[in-house]
Amino acid sequence: MIDVNNIFSVGPQNFEEIARATFQFQYENNGLYRNWCDRLSRTPSVVRYVEDIPALPVSFFKTDRVMTTEFEPEVIFRSSGTTGTTGSFHYVKDVAMYRESYSRGFRRMYGDPADWCILGLLPSYLERGDSSLVIMVQGLLQQSGHVLGGFFLQEWEELAGRLGKLEAEGQKTLLIGVTYALLDFAERHPKELRHTVVMETGGMKGRREELTRTEVHDRLKLAFGLGEVHSEYGMTELMSQAYSKGGGRFVCPPWMRVLVRDERDPLAVMKEGEGVLQVVDLANCYSCSFIATEDVGCVYGDGSFEVWGRLDNADLRGCSLLAV
């Protein structure tokens, strides 16, 4: 049995050990994943390194209940999807585990949420009640406690007014939003922001023309007088997030790692290089911690990574649709 209390204390010195123990636990208690590993002839007895652990294709979250052990989910995260595509479902045993993951991940990169005023511009996600992104931002809002914080649909004037007040007060502010909404707001209310971090979560969702991440960031930097635009890399299928403080280069928390594989060979996995990204998220202990994404990018020697785009014919996502 995995000790979930150890997951968030993992470090470089014991990541491989905890990852192998997690693999053993999920192989024994997740029939879907075990069948996948058996098909690839990769069982715990032959796995020596984290790169040897088979990654479950993310598409399984669209067609199957990816669950380790039997439980009644406390919450089910659902991806937004797009017209004509099938959404993913992530059955979460304990939402407190998710809360611990996003809270620790945010604090590592940005410090105490109580130091921030947080503004969430997530209109399409707010229209549903099963978005992991909304649950995360709602939790950070509660930890922030700032009276001017909150969510916005399309109340552009109200959002612009609050930003004006916060800027005048010199209050450290985070404006986190889905990409198309941030671009819409930037066009209507350009304003120099000196005390505000703008963070895009990805996603055009067919609302606007597709742009590269560089094009999106250039437009936002111009509208708001910013040196850098931050980004969040998260998925419905993951319990953890990676963040970029500029240039689209993401950094993982210690319990999350991104690997890269050859597009033509699901077992040709490396710690660094270019190819299809695979995510190891130890916080996914009750679903599957080893996920083969449909994102193409590059992993660097220090563990940071970039997302360049999507595999051909991969369904568009609500998050991380952007190429560079």
Side-chain angles (χ1 to χ4, degrees):
M1 178 67 70
I2 287 293
D3 183 358
V4 296
N5 295 318
N6 284 338
I7 289 172
F8 298 116
S9 61
V10 70
Q13 72 284 355
N14 64 346
F15 185 92
E16 294 261 351
E17 176 188 352
I18 301 300
R20 290 195 302 271
T22 300
F23 173 49
Q24 176 85 40
F25 174 66
Q26 294 183 340
Y27 181 85
E28 294 174 352
N29 294 280
N30 185 327
L32 175 73
Y33 183 53
R34 180 171 60 253
N35 290 338
W36 177 252
C37 295
D38 289 345
R39 287 179 60 187
L40 298 176
S41 300
R42 286 286 179 89
T43 62
S45 62
V46 301
V47 164
R48 296 182 60 194
Y49 304 105
V50 68
E51 303 97 278
D52 300 332
I53 300 174
L56 188 72
V58 70
S59 58
F60 275 84
F61 283 82
K62 299 177 181 180
T63 58
D64 296 87
R65 293 170 67 95
V66 183
M67 300 170 64
T68 296
T69 73
E70 296 183 6
F71 58 87
E72 187 66 28
E74 187 172 345
V75 65
I76 302 174
F77 297 153
R78 183 173 64 86
S79 67
S80 53
T82 55
T83 303
T85 66
T86 303
S88 296
F89 294 85
H90 190 172
Y91 299 88
V92 178
K93 180 177 181 178
D94 184 3
V95 73
M97 186 81 170
Y98 181 59
R99 188 180 305 115
E100 187 80 3
S101 181
Y102 72 65
S103 296
R104 285 177 177 262
F106 184 90
R107 287 172 181 269
R108 284 186 60 86
M109 292 294 289
Y110 296 99
D112 191 341
D115 295 334
W116 294 80
C117 178
I118 299 175
L119 306 172
L121 186 56
L122 306 166
S124 54
Y125 295 89
L126 286 170
E127 293 164 359
R128 309 183 348 257
D130 49 11
S131 164
S132 58
L133 179 59
V134 169
I135 291 175
M136 180 186 81
V137 175
Q138 179 65 58
L140 293 174
L141 274 166
Q142 292 173 351
Q143 294 177 44
S144 163
H146 198 286
V147 294
L148 293 181
F151 283 110
F152 296 85
L153 289 169
Q154 292 181 331
E155 303 93 342
W156 308 127
E157 296 292 339
E158 173 66 18
L159 177 56
R162 291 201 196 185
L163 276 173
K165 292 179 182 178
L166 292 164
E167 284 287 321
E169 296 172 359
Q171 168 62 50
K172 191 161 62 170
T173 301
L174 172 65
L175 174 59
I176 179 170
V178 65
T179 302
Y180 76 85
L182 285 174
L183 289 170
D184 287 347
F185 177 68
E187 290 175 358
R188 290 166 173 80
H189 294 278
K191 176 183 176 59
E192 184 173 1
L193 300 176
R194 297 185 178 182
H195 306 286
T196 301
V197 167
V198 175
M199 180 186 292
E200 53 91 4
T201 67
M204 290 297 193
K205 300 180 64 59
R207 306 293 182 104
R208 299 176 59 108
E209 75 277 16
E210 291 296 330
L211 301 172
T212 67
R213 172 172 277 117
T214 299
E215 290 171 333
V216 168
H217 286 203
D218 285 347
R219 291 190 185 189
L220 294 175
K221 286 190 285 188
L222 181 63
F224 298 128
L226 300 169
E228 295 290 351
V229 172
H230 295 214
S231 305
E232 180 256 3
Y233 181 84
M235 300 165 59
T236 296
E237 301 86 354
L238 299 177
M239 296 279 275
S240 304
Q241 303 79 33
Y243 292 101
S244 165
K245 289 189 173 182
R249 191 150 166 175
F250 293 92
V251 177
C252 295
W255 56 90
M256 177 182 177
R257 183 177 293 182
V258 174
L259 306 172
V260 63
R261 68 170 174 83
D262 188 314
E263 179 180 350
R264 297 159 296 182
D265 184 355
L267 297 180
V269 180
M270 303 169 289
K271 288 186 176 180
E272 60 183 279
E274 302 176 3
V276 184
L277 303 181
Q278 293 191 174
V279 179
V280 180
D281 183 1
L282 299 180
N284 269 33
C285 55
Y286 290 108
S287 54
C288 183
S289 291
F290 311 95
I291 304 296
T293 79
E294 294 164 346
D295 294 324
V296 178
C298 179
V299 180
Y300 295 92
D302 62 358
S304 65
F305 67 98
E306 294 182 10
V307 182
W308 292 346
R310 304 279 291 155
L311 283 174
D312 290 341
N313 301 319
D315 287 345
L316 293 177
R317 289 191 171 279
C319 295
S320 301
L321 286 173
L322 304 176
V324 297

